[in-house]
């Protein structure tokens, strides 16, 4: 993951509505600063932070740091697994900073849909000005039962696609 501005990330976290015992999920293949910021935010708010590392080296480096933190659950996560739902726990917010291969994107959204709480948000980080990828993700989100999709441009190297899982829709 390219550099991301910490102040802007903290500004983004203001979209998270205060509520007790929330669960924040994150698919990441790198970028310790983002993980640290999300972890600190979850600690301060008493939320659970699930870090799904999609790169084994990133997992190895992060496990030493986060395994001892009681509010963080860290997983060495295989995107090809049959289901993303673990122990029936769902995310209120799901951050995706991992690079998801083109051929896996639809499957990723379908599996993620089941692990997001009704009306929960998925927040995808895509390279800045990559309009082809933005259009592809937006189309796939719509086709896979996500609604209210919007694009936000607040980072130097990334644009965000934010979409909502609607209650009772799809898988």
């Amino acid at each position: 993951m390219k550099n991301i501005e910490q102040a802007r990330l903290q500004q983004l976290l203001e979209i998270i509505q205060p509520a007790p015992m929330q669960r924040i999920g994150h698919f990441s293949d790198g970028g310790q600063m983002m993980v640290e910021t999300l972890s600190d935010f979850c600690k301060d708010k008493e939320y659970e932070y699930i870090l799904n590392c999609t790169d084994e080296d990133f997992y190895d480096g992060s496990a030493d740091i986060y395994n001892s933190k009681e509010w963080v659950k860290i997983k060495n996560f295989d995107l090809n697994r049959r289901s993303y739902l673990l122990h029936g726990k769902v995310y209120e917010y799901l951050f995706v900073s991992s690079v998801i291969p083109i051929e896996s994107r639809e499957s990723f959204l379908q599996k993620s849909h089941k692990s997001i709480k009704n009306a929960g948000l998925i927040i995808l980080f895509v390279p800045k000005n990559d309009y082809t990828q933005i259009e592809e993700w937006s189309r796939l989100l719509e086709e896979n039962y996500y609604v209210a999709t919007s694009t936000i441009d607040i980072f130097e190297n990334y644009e965000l696609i934010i979409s909502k899982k609607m209650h009772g829709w799809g898988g």
Side-chain angles (χ1 to χ4, degrees), residues 11 23 25 29 36 53 69 80 82 85 88 110 126 129 145 151 160 165 170:
Q11 184 181 14
R23 187 170 293 111
D29 56 11
E36 183 178 325
C53 297
K69 300 183 186 293
N80 295 317
R82 211 168 127 252
L85 187 61
Q110 291 168 349
V126 296
N129 300 322
Y145 308 108
T151 305
L160 301 176
K165 174 187 174 179

Side-chain angles (χ1 to χ4, degrees), residues 87-118:
H87 308 294
K89 294 183 177 183
V90 293
Y91 310 118
E92 281 81 7
Y93 299 87
L94 180 59
F95 290 81
V96 182
S97 58
S98 287
V99 174
I100 308 298
I102 294 169
E103 65 278 1
S104 301
R105 289 179 183 166
E106 185 162 27
S107 173
F108 175 82
L109 289 176
Q110 291 168 349
K111 293 174 190 176
S112 294
H113 192 273
K114 293 176 185 175
S115 67
I116 298 172
K117 186 177 182 177
N118 290 329

Side-chain angles (χ1 to χ4, degrees), residues 45-140:
K45 301 290 185 181
E46 297 182 358
Y47 298 157
E48 185 177 7
Y49 177 47
I50 315 304
L51 175 57
N52 298 309
C53 297
T54 59
D55 177 86
E56 195 164 338
D57 292 334
F58 181 61
Y59 170 77
D60 291 341
S62 299
D64 292 337
I65 300 167
Y66 295 102
N67 269 337
S68 63
K69 300 183 186 293
E70 63 188 50
W71 66 94
V72 178
K73 304 289 185 267
I74 183 168
K75 308 255 183 248
N76 189 4
F77 204 92
D78 179 3
L79 290 173
N80 295 317
R81 69 186 297 151
R82 211 168 127 252
S83 173
Y84 293 173
L85 187 61
L86 301 171
H87 308 294
K89 294 183 177 183
V90 293
Y91 310 118
E92 281 81 7
Y93 299 87
L94 180 59
F95 290 81
V96 182
S97 58
S98 287
V99 174
I100 308 298
I102 294 169
E103 65 278 1
S104 301
R105 289 179 183 166
E106 185 162 27
S107 173
F108 175 82
L109 289 176
Q110 291 168 349
K111 293 174 190 176
S112 294
H113 192 273
K114 293 176 185 175
S115 67
I116 298 172
K117 186 177 182 177
N118 290 329
L121 296 179
I122 186 168
I123 301 133
L124 300 158
F125 287 73
V126 296
K128 184 78 151 198
N129 300 322
D130 187 341
Y131 301 112
T132 302
Q133 193 172 156
I134 291 168
E135 287 177 20
E136 175 72 6
W137 274 116
S138 297
R139 179 185 64 77
L140 288 170

